[in-house]
Amino acid sequence: MDSFTATAARMPELRAEIARHPERFRVLTGERPTGRLHLGHYFGTIRERVRLQSLGVETFVVVADYQVITDRDVARDIRENVYEAVLDYLAAGLDPRSTTIFTHSAVPALNQLVLPFLSLVTEAELHRNPTVKAELAASGRALSGLLLTYPVHQAADILFCKGNLVPVGKDNLPHVEVTRTIARRFNERYGAVFPEPVGLVTSAPELPGLDGRKMSKSYGNAIALGMTADETAAVIRRARTDSERTITYDPENRPEVAGLLATAAVVLGRTPADIADEICGAGAVALKRLTTEAVNEFLSAHRARRAALSIEDAAAVLRAGNERAQNIANDTLHEVRSAMGMLY
């Protein structure tokens, strides 16, 4: 039984435990602010964060601004992207009174944990990490020290607040395993300080972009949560389809049509095949019209809440979150230095 299968088999029991005793868990999750958040982010991660928050699970969300340069030369539009992400978090239902939202660069004590953590893993272990290999292949660049040690930075993100629950998809489980390894080795070498976190495998749909490829701002195939209704209509109208009039769901041979069908399906709570059968011979124009109406209806409440917020609101949330995260990181770093005999 592979690691993912074994982990997935434990999920019903873990979810039941979370529902019974949410106070026993502390979640760390987040993303790199490389662009505007889109529908893929909402269904892939944000919705799950709101659900955990509503159960009473203490949640930390890191806007990992330092990690933007993991696989790129510069952090373009970083400040705007960070504030835009916070606005979407708030509009989606994350409450800063119970969820700590903070930026990576504003918590230096967190980043100091990377140094002792690096001593707990080998170069070979880092090279074997699937995410490191995938990101390296996608970047087309030489392997940087930051990319090689990316899993260790993520371990520091999780362990600085003693997070013990990490929502992940199948591809991110290896990061949780690295974090568990680092926590275990530190505890064995210096004394019990850290929990060994567990991965909470999400059942989020893998939402493709409008062209059937991976949803990405760089591909121009994503519907950003902060788009207006007119902007959404425009990006769907520009989406490519094919010359075949009858609409069918065939991701392999008709990826562009499949991408539109998948987008409509996820916001309507239906299957792509069901929508394809409904449209059938009405063609791509009807498909785009249905998709536009469905997405705009789904996002209308989110947009209304977002419009009531300002950049100043986002900045205030970050100031409070950064202060709380730094206080927690200072306490954890003090524990680490004490365990290592480095208090002077």
Side-chain angles (χ1 to χ4, degrees):
M1 181 177 287
D2 63 34
S3 176
F4 175 74
T5 302
T7 301
R10 293 193 294 269
M11 288 306 99
E13 180 181 350
L14 177 59
R15 289 184 180 277
E17 179 67 12
I18 293 167
R20 285 194 300 267
H21 296 289
E23 74 282 356
R24 295 180 181 176
F25 296 91
R26 177 176 273 188
V27 165
L28 185 287
T29 182
E31 54 254 318
R32 298 188 302 161
T34 55
R36 300 168 75 185
L37 299 184
H38 50 63
L39 277 177
H41 292 113
Y42 178 81
F43 286 103
T45 57
I46 296 174
R47 183 173 60 172
E48 178 70 359
R49 296 169 193 172
V50 174
R51 187 189 73 84
L52 290 169
Q53 174 190 267
S54 70
L55 289 175
V57 177
E58 186 177 14
T59 303
F60 288 74
V61 178
V62 56
V63 188
D65 51 350
Y66 267 165
Q67 293 179 1
V68 168
I69 54 174
T70 299
D71 58 353
R72 57 197 69 203
D73 294 322
V74 293
R76 291 191 179 91
D77 305 319
I78 187 67
R79 187 179 179 87
E80 177 184 354
N81 290 342
V82 167
Y83 285 142
E84 289 285 321
V86 175
L87 290 175
D88 279 322
Y89 293 154
L90 300 176
L94 289 180
D95 185 345
R97 292 172 296 184
S98 53
T99 294
T100 302
I101 303 171
F102 67 99
T103 49
H104 207 165
S105 62
V107 189
L110 181 164
N111 293 296
Q112 281 197 53
L113 293 174
V114 174
L115 287 175
F117 286 1
L118 282 170
S119 72
L120 300 169
V121 292
T122 67
E123 181 184 3
E125 287 172 327
L126 294 175
H127 277 290
R128 285 198 300 267
N129 186 275
T131 301
V132 170
K133 292 191 286 188
E135 292 289 345
L136 177 62
S139 71
R141 302 169 55 194
L143 179 63
S144 70
L146 183 58
L147 178 53
L148 179 62
T149 58
Y150 185 39
V152 182
H153 289 257
Q154 289 202 321
D157 293 342
I158 296 166
L159 295 176
F160 96 94
C161 64
K162 299 189 178 178
N164 60 0
L165 187 66
V166 186
V168 291
K170 179 177 181 179
D171 293 343
N172 291 319
L173 265 180
H175 284 300
V176 179
E177 291 305 314
V178 170
T179 303
R180 288 174 58 83
T181 297
I182 288 173
R184 183 172 62 255
R185 289 175 181 171
F186 186 95
N187 294 342
E188 290 170 350
R189 188 173 298 182
Y190 300 111
V193 172
F194 296 110
E196 292 186 30
V198 295
L200 175 63
V201 178
T202 62
S203 56
E206 294 185 3
L207 183 61
L210 295 174
D211 57 2
R213 293 185 292 176
K214 180 180 178 181
M215 187 173 286
S216 170
K217 179 185 176 184
S218 61
Y219 291 155
N221 64 359
I223 297 173
L225 299 178
M227 280 181 173
T228 66
D230 287 343
E231 288 171 336
T232 299
V235 74
I236 292 174
R237 188 168 55 248
R238 291 195 301 268
R240 296 181 60 182
T241 53
D242 54 40
S243 59
E244 192 172 330
R245 181 168 180 82
T246 301
I247 298 301
T248 58
Y249 182 59
D250 185 353
E252 183 174 347
N253 297 308
R254 306 184 71 187
E256 297 92 348
V257 170
L260 287 164
L261 287 168
T263 299
V266 75
V267 299
L268 290 171
R270 298 168 60 185
T271 67
D274 178 42
I275 294 174
D277 289 343
E278 176 186 321
I279 297 173
C280 196
V285 171
L287 172 58
K288 290 182 178 182
R289 180 169 57 247
L290 183 149
T291 303
T292 299
E293 292 172 355
V295 171
N296 280 335
E297 174 63 24
F298 179 80
L299 288 177
S300 60
H302 180 95
R303 288 167 174 159
R305 291 189 294 267
R306 201 179 192 280
L309 299 167
S310 66
I311 295 298
E312 289 72 24
D313 293 322
V317 166
L318 280 179
R319 283 194 297 271
N322 288 343
E323 181 178 1
R324 180 159 192 265
Q326 179 64 6
N327 288 337
I328 291 171
N330 282 335
D331 290 343
T332 301
L333 183 60
H334 186 274
E335 278 190 79
V336 165
R337 293 175 61 215
S338 177
M340 297 177 72
M342 294 183 179
L343 288 183
Y344 309 108

